[in-house]
Amino acid sequence: MTLNVHGKKVLVTPLDVHNIFGMPCDGVVVPIKGPLEAIRELCQGFDTSKDGSIPLKQLKEKLVATEDADDSFQRRLLLYLLRALLCLNTELTVNRRYLHSMVDVSSIRHYNWSQLVIEFLVHDIRQYKDKGQRGIKGCRLFLMPTPSIRDWDDDQISIWEKVLQAMRYEENIEVSLADDVI
C-alpha cells in the first residue's frame, strides 16, 4: 500500500507492521469469513449479541478475572487486542467474524496478522476518503513514526499512552491513500 502522508508518498508493507509490532508478516491469510456454524460454539462462549458483536467490557472483565492462560484466555486477549489496538473502531464491541481465526488456537501463530492490520487500515482510509467517514479508524499507532515496540522502555510507553489518549480527540488527521495504491 502507498500512503500519501503530508504530500509525501510512503510505501507500507506487512514487513513494516512486523518491524514495529513484532507480529508475523507472512503465513496464512487471517480467516475472518466463514459459515456461522463454524463458530457457533465459540459465539455462545462469548455471549455475543444478536448482531454478532462481543462487548469489549465483557472481554476486559473476563480477562482480568482469568487465572489460567488457557485457550479461552488466549482468544479473549487476541479479540481485545484486535479491537483496542490493531483493528481499532468506534464501537465498544468486537465483531464475531474474528472468531473464525480462533477456532484452532494453535493456528493463530501461523496467520499473517501484519497483513490484516494493513488491510483494515486501508479499508478505513478508503471509508474516510470516499464516504466522508469522520475519522480514521484502524491502527493509527502504526502510522506514527516510532521505534519497534519491542524496544520501548517504561518512559516511551508512558509517552505513547498520553499520545493515544490525546488522539481520541483528534479529528484532523492528514493521511490518505495515494492515487497509485499498490
Side-chain angles (χ1 to χ4, degrees):
M1 147 177 87
T2 303
L3 293 177
N4 182 349
V5 180
H6 299 294
K8 182 178 179 182
K9 290 184 180 183
V10 179
L11 178 65
V12 180
T13 69
L15 182 59
D16 296 313
V17 176
H18 167 76
N19 287 337
I20 292 173
F21 293 114
M23 298 184 316
C25 64
D26 57 8
V28 180
V29 173
V30 178
I32 57 172
K33 293 181 181 177
L36 181 57
E37 280 304 312
I39 59 169
R40 187 172 304 280
E41 188 176 322
L42 286 177
C43 288
Q44 291 169 352
F46 284 99
D47 301 323
T48 57
S49 64
K50 290 180 182 179
D51 70 351
S53 60
I54 303 165
L56 195 60
K57 182 179 179 182
Q58 176 201 87
L59 284 174
K60 183 178 179 181
E61 288 170 354
K62 290 190 177 187
L63 278 170
V64 170
T66 301
E67 294 182 13
D68 296 320
D70 58 4
D71 288 356
S72 180
F73 171 81
Q74 291 177 45
R75 286 182 183 111
R76 282 188 174 87
L77 179 61
L78 184 53
L79 284 170
Y80 191 84
L81 290 173
L82 282 166
R83 165 47 189 85
L85 178 65
L86 303 174
C87 298
L88 188 62
N89 64 39
T90 58
E91 307 296 322
L92 294 176
T93 60
V94 181
N95 190 299
R96 70 176 170 215
R97 69 183 177 177
Y98 293 110
L99 291 175
H100 288 285
S101 65
M102 300 172 199
V103 171
D104 178 10
V105 173
S106 66
S107 295
I108 291 172
R109 72 183 69 188
H110 302 292
Y111 295 139
N112 188 339
W113 294 101
S114 296
Q115 182 66 36
L116 179 71
V117 168
I118 294 284
E119 289 173 2
F120 193 90
L121 189 57
V122 166
H123 175 266
D124 270 20
I125 292 172
R126 283 192 199 283
Q127 295 290 317
Y128 175 77
K129 183 178 177 184
D130 298 341
K131 297 187 178 179
Q133 181 173 284
R134 188 163 178 216
I136 296 173
K137 297 180 265 183
C139 190
R140 294 188 295 174
L141 178 62
F142 170 70
L143 296 175
M144 298 177 185
T146 178
S148 171
I149 287 179
R150 293 177 287 190
D151 300 329
W152 286 9
D153 60 20
D154 288 340
D155 291 336
Q156 287 170 310
I157 291 170
S158 295
I159 290 168
W160 282 105
E161 285 175 333
K162 290 175 186 172
V163 168
L164 288 173
Q165 184 67 25
M167 280 178 58
R168 291 182 184 181
Y169 306 104
E170 179 68 39
E171 293 184 20
N172 297 320
I173 298 172
E174 293 189 36
V175 176
S176 64
L177 287 174
D179 293 332
D180 59 342
V181 175
I182 295 174

